[in-house]
């Protein structure tokens, strides 16, 4: 499977503008109060919409975000597997114990998507601003962060990323260059102080 499709397995446009609020201040507040946890876990649903054939592919499971390692997706449906998305590699472990490792250190799209993971979920606002034109708007008591990539290669693949934030990251919607969309819906957020043994074993896979 291609690196990009792995990440899009990884991460409403009618919005009311913020009134009397500085977008930079809003972002600083969100990152200091909402996105500053070292470990976040919960449940997710992924919906990939294939525009040309008007078909949606869905999967679900649980996730763990750890600031020093990346994101772990424990996929439960439609097929069980564990997927670890790090800064320079992607690791997939199947129920039979088979492990596949994809080195993304030399792949530009992989690196850009890894930057999204680190900057959005790992409390790195400066990295986010370095790589994206960032805007923030308010909708029904929550905030919507829109990201437009500066990098032309990434912009061609994913021209827009929309993140919904309330007291946690609620959703990530990726608009692909071919018209398809991939949306992650997150729920049941908890913030443990440390990883469990199972999660540590998966993050340590090399």
């Amino acid at each position: 499977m291609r690196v990009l499709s792995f990440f899009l397995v990884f991460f409403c446009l009618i919005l009311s503008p913020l009134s009397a609020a500085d977008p930079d201040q809003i972002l600083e507040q969100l990152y200091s109060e909402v996105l500053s946890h070292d470990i976040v876990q919960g449940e997710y649903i992924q919906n990939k919409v294939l525009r040309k054939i008007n078909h949606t592919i869905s999967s679900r499971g649980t996730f763990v975000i750890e600031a020093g390692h990346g994101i772990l997706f424990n996929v439960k449906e439609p097929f069980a597997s564990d997927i670890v998305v790090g800064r320079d590699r992607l690791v997939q472990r199947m129920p039979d114990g088979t492990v596949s490792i994809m080195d993304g250190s030399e792949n530009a799209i992989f690196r850009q998507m890894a930057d999204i993971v680190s900057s959005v979920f790992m409390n790195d606002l400066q990295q986010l601003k370095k790589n994206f034109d960032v805007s923030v708007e308010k909708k029904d008591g929550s905030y919507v962060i829109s990201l437009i990539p500066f990098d032309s290669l990434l912009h061609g693949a994913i021209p827009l990323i929309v993140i919904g934030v309330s007291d946690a990251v609620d959703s990530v919607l990726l608009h692909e260059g071919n018209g398809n969309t991939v949306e992650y819906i997150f729920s049941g957020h908890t913030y443990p102080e440390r990883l469990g043994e199972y999660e540590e074993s998966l993050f340590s896979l090399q």
Side-chain angles (χ1 to χ4, degrees):
M1 188 180 298
R2 295 175 303 170
V3 171
L4 179 58
S5 64
F6 268 125
F7 273 106
L8 298 183
V9 166
F10 227 267
F11 267 118
C12 124
L13 296 178
I14 302 175
L15 305 170
S16 58
L18 284 170
S19 57
D22 182 342
D24 284 341
Q25 290 181 345
I26 295 295
L27 284 171
E28 293 285 354
Q29 181 178 354
L30 289 174
Y31 266 74
S32 63
E33 297 180 3
V34 176
L35 304 174
S36 60
H37 303 283
D38 289 335
I39 302 175
V40 183
Q41 63 184 28
E43 300 179 353
Y44 80 92
I45 297 173
Q46 177 206 313
N47 295 313
K48 181 177 179 68
V49 178
L50 305 175
R51 180 181 59 86
K52 287 187 176 181
I53 60 175
N54 192 28
H55 180 65
T56 300
I57 301 172
S58 297
S59 63
R60 65 177 63 231
T62 60
F63 72 93
V64 179
I65 301 168
E66 205 283 330
H69 293 89
I71 298 181
L72 163 64
F73 290 105
N74 175 232
V75 185
K76 296 182 178 179
E77 298 178 4
F79 305 106
S81 67
D82 293 309
I83 298 174
V84 179
V85 182
R87 290 302 303 269
D88 57 4
R89 76 198 200 293
L90 185 144
V91 180
Q92 184 175 36
R93 186 166 77 175
M94 305 304 292
D96 65 0
T98 302
V99 175
S100 301
I101 300 176
M102 180 174 292
D103 181 7
S105 60
E106 301 301 322
N107 185 288
I109 290 290
F110 192 108
R111 292 198 308 272
Q112 289 287 339
M113 291 303 294
D115 283 339
I116 294 174
V117 173
S118 64
S119 56
V120 171
F121 293 105
M122 301 178 196
N123 196 26
D124 192 346
L125 181 56
Q126 296 309 311
Q127 183 71 12
L128 193 74
K129 290 182 176 181
K130 177 181 177 181
N131 291 303
F132 299 94
D133 179 7
V134 184
S135 63
V136 58
E137 298 178 274
K138 190 174 184 179
K139 181 185 179 183
D140 299 331
S142 299
Y143 292 97
V144 175
I145 302 173
S146 297
L147 309 177
I148 298 176
F150 291 134
D151 180 84
S152 59
L153 183 61
L154 182 58
H155 190 278
I158 308 172
L160 176 64
I161 301 164
V162 181
I163 304 166
V165 181
S166 56
D167 57 350
V169 176
D170 301 315
S171 63
V172 176
L173 176 63
L174 300 101
H175 294 259
E176 298 184 32
N178 58 11
N180 297 337
T181 60
V182 180
E183 182 176 29
Y184 285 90
I185 301 171
F186 300 105
S187 62
H189 301 74
T190 59
Y191 310 100
E193 293 184 359
R194 58 182 60 85
L195 293 172
E197 290 185 8
Y198 181 69
E199 289 80 11
E200 282 192 0
S201 70
L202 290 172
F203 278 123
S204 65
L205 289 173
Q206 299 291 333

